[in-house]
Amino acid sequence: SLRCDGPETKNNSLKYMRRYYTRVCNFYYGKESKLLISKKKTIPLNNNKEISFDHLEIISRRSKKKISIKKINSLPKLLRKQINLDLKNILSKKKNFANLNLQKIPNIMGVLNLTPDSFSDGGKFNSKKRGINHALKMFQFGANIIDVGGESTRPGSNAVNIKLEWSRIEKIIKFISKKIPLSLDTRKSEVMERSIKLGVKMINDVSGLSYDNKTLDVLKKYKIPFVIQHTQGIPENMQDKPRYKNELLDIYDFFEAKIKFLRSIGIKHNKIIVDPGIGFGKNLKHNMNLISNISIFHSLGFPILVGNSRKRFIKEISGKNDTRNRIGGTVSSSIYLMSQGIQILRIHDVNELLQGIKVFKKLLKN
């Protein structure tokens, strides 16, 4: 049962309560969602009638329980207050930025690795001509934004210096930022600042803004949208026996603390995306728990990005059926994430994924 636990004063009033987290669940999509909303049986996620829900899972570090949205008002007063604060974030309409339409689920961030050693396509697009062609192709296929990277952060990779990273990306950014929206995948403030001056629309820092202490100054100065990704450790060692007390709630707490800190130093805008960092300091159990419970992060009130494309968890689950590009596992996990209201997917195989999504959405409408 759900109680507000904590020591009580002599007059039996509550001194403090256990921390609870709200995960929206039991989603409906498309035509069915709109019908149920009209009958007041479900609530739209982010004010988007295409996706709605009728249950919440209330989670603490000791318990969890699913309840219908109709039972929220029968919760204990302090718990109800906490859940309603989360619901305010869950229901709020997200404003669009960086060519992302946050009323459309999902948006696609196409991956452009300009590196010789990225985990799945290293060396494939690291010439100017091939890089530009691939970026333009992904955008034509339907990607909303292209994420350009000049440093591999795959497990076991080593950092590269600023000069080398910049030499890999400069010419391509200069050329394609005039034609299509770009995000930059970098951990270095100097690379961020140079790229912003060339027209990059968003910063995607896999270190959670912690690798370079000047990063926050750049983000504050330019007021540019950015992604906060969770990573445990650094690429060189992040897969050496990663440990959590509770990966889902530990990562939620990380985001909450990080956002509170960003507010305290004067970054007040809401052009912020959270990314739980699948495969960055996580084993198979951690990754699966994060993906299957991903909708908890809606309570933070920001769009969610997931990089599930071609990741190792697909190989670990599929075993002998693993393939080089892991398109099957990418498509199936992407459709699951879409059904949980995830706004942005970071994808290598943009055309194949959008094919899968279009077929899935069409079947829902019939």
Side-chain angles (χ1 to χ4, degrees):
S1 68
L2 290 164
R3 305 189 317 277
C4 297
D5 292 332
E8 296 179 353
T9 57
K10 283 181 183 174
N11 66 3
N12 209 34
S13 67
L14 202 63
K15 196 173 179 182
Y16 68 84
M17 63 180 292
R18 195 196 309 175
R19 172 67 203 272
Y20 285 95
Y21 303 77
T22 309
R23 184 176 79 86
V24 281
C25 49
N26 217 30
F27 285 97
Y28 299 86
Y29 206 89
K31 192 174 167 184
E32 189 179 18
S33 172
K34 289 175 182 173
L35 180 66
L36 290 167
I37 290 167
S38 70
K39 292 181 176 180
K40 295 194 163 83
K41 291 188 174 178
T42 62
I43 307 176
L45 178 74
N46 304 149
N47 200 31
N48 179 358
K49 290 182 179 177
E50 284 286 324
I51 183 164
S52 60
F53 60 93
D54 64 7
H55 276 69
L56 304 173
E57 188 170 51
I58 301 173
I59 305 169
S60 79
R61 289 186 179 265
R62 286 187 277 170
S63 66
K64 58 181 178 179
K65 183 176 180 175
K66 274 187 188 175
I67 64 159
S68 159
I69 52 172
K70 291 173 185 173
K71 292 187 177 171
I72 294 168
N73 287 335
S74 62
L75 293 170
K77 189 180 173 184
L78 283 173
L79 178 58
R80 186 170 72 242
K81 189 179 175 185
Q82 199 177 329
I83 301 306
N84 280 329
L85 281 172
D86 285 345
L87 271 174
K88 196 177 172 186
N89 284 337
I90 291 161
L91 303 182
S92 67
K93 185 177 179 179
K94 306 294 177 270
K95 287 185 180 172
N96 300 340
F97 56 86
N99 203 48
L100 299 169
N101 176 0
L102 298 168
Q103 288 301 103
K104 185 193 93 172
I105 294 174
N107 288 259
I108 304 298
M109 175 187 271
V111 180
L112 179 61
N113 289 320
L114 304 175
T115 55
D117 58 340
S118 288
F119 81 95
S120 72
D121 57 1
K124 211 172 170 187
F125 306 113
N126 64 334
S127 75
K128 185 181 173 185
K129 188 181 176 184
R130 283 180 301 181
I132 288 168
N133 286 343
H134 188 54
L136 294 173
K137 217 180 250 183
M138 287 191 288
F139 192 68
Q140 284 159 8
F141 286 145
N144 300 78
I145 192 165
I146 305 300
D147 195 37
V148 180
E151 177 187 52
S152 174
T153 49
R154 62 180 168 75
S157 63
N158 294 308
V160 301
N161 63 47
I162 289 169
K163 191 178 175 185
L164 178 57
E165 185 177 342
W166 186 244
S167 71
R168 290 173 176 174
I169 64 177
E170 181 187 9
K171 288 175 184 172
I172 290 175
I173 288 176
K174 203 176 270 187
F175 184 84
I176 55 178
S177 64
K178 296 179 181 76
K179 299 177 182 293
I180 59 178
L182 294 184
S183 162
L184 183 69
D185 176 0
T186 186
R187 301 180 288 172
K188 302 181 184 76
S189 61
E190 195 177 323
V191 177
M192 289 175 194
E193 188 154 29
R194 288 182 191 178
S195 71
I196 292 166
K197 287 174 180 174
L198 290 182
V200 158
K201 299 277 185 271
M202 190 160 83
I203 298 297
N204 180 17
D205 179 353
V206 300
S207 78
L209 317 178
S210 64
Y211 180 83
D212 179 342
N213 57 18
K214 292 180 183 170
T215 291
L216 296 172
D217 299 331
V218 172
L219 297 178
K220 196 174 171 182
K221 179 179 175 183
Y222 292 96
K223 298 183 173 63
I224 190 167
F226 58 89
V227 180
I228 307 170
Q229 185 187 294
H230 177 273
T231 302
Q232 189 181 91
I234 55 173
E236 289 92 325
N237 63 24
M238 64 188 179
Q239 291 307 106
D240 298 346
K241 298 182 180 172
R243 286 198 183 101
Y244 298 86
K245 285 180 182 175
N246 178 320
E247 57 277 6
L248 191 65
L249 305 186
D250 291 356
I251 292 169
Y252 190 100
D253 289 348
F254 160 82
F255 285 131
E256 202 168 57
K258 185 70 79 171
I259 290 157
K260 191 177 177 184
F261 171 70
L262 293 171
R263 297 307 193 213
S264 77
I265 62 162
I267 296 175
K268 303 291 186 188
H269 67 75
N270 285 330
K271 296 174 184 176
I272 297 170
I273 295 165
V274 296
D275 175 358
I278 301 302
F280 282 80
K282 285 110 186 160
N283 61 27
L284 178 62
K285 176 188 157 288
H286 302 144
N287 288 324
M288 295 313 291
N289 193 27
L290 283 167
I291 293 171
S292 60
N293 293 286
I294 195 76
S295 58
I296 192 173
F297 299 110
H298 289 302
S299 298
L300 291 161
F302 296 94
I304 304 161
L305 182 151
V306 178
N308 56 310
S309 181
R310 302 184 182 178
K311 289 281 172 83
R312 187 183 294 184
F313 76 88
I314 298 169
K315 175 187 177 179
E316 290 171 329
I317 292 167
S318 58
K320 68 178 180 182
N321 302 116
D322 187 41
T323 55
R324 190 173 167 271
N325 281 352
R326 299 174 187 163
I327 291 173
T330 298
V331 172
S332 61
S333 56
S334 294
I335 287 173
Y336 176 82
L337 289 160
M338 179 183 90
S339 75
Q340 300 296 299
I342 298 314
Q343 293 94 342
I344 309 151
L345 299 172
R346 187 177 182 275
I347 297 295
H348 296 84
D349 303 290
V350 171
N351 196 39
E352 289 80 358
L353 178 70
L354 284 171
Q355 181 188 70
I357 284 172
K358 282 177 180 176
V359 172
F360 180 78
K361 284 186 173 182
K362 184 69 177 170
L363 289 167
L364 284 177
K365 284 177 182 174
N366 282 349

